[in-house]
Amino acid sequence: MATHPDLVGTVDERIQQLAATAPEAQTPEWLRRQLDSALAAWAADRTALDIDEERRTDF
């Protein structure tokens, strides 16, 4: 069975891609990769926001 491409783009784009992905293509391994990717992207965004907030804080 061919592996379905990973979801990419913004959150909205990923949601659209997921909705268009056939359920049989959503293997546990594929879903886990998507979750890991989404969490990594979220963590990177969160880190960037934290750094920006710290930079603006007066000590």
Side-chain angles (χ1 to χ4, degrees), residues 1 3-4 6 24-37:
M1 183 169 133
T3 302
H4 196 277
D6 288 340
E24 58 272 7
Q26 299 176 11
T27 65
E29 295 82 12
W30 183 83
L31 288 169
R32 180 57 195 232
R33 274 199 328 271
Q34 306 324 300
L35 175 60
D36 289 347
S37 175

Side-chain angles (χ1 to χ4, degrees), residues 11-23:
V11 172
D12 291 335
E13 291 167 342
R14 289 180 187 213
I15 289 170
Q16 289 176 333
Q17 293 167 34
L18 181 60
T21 303

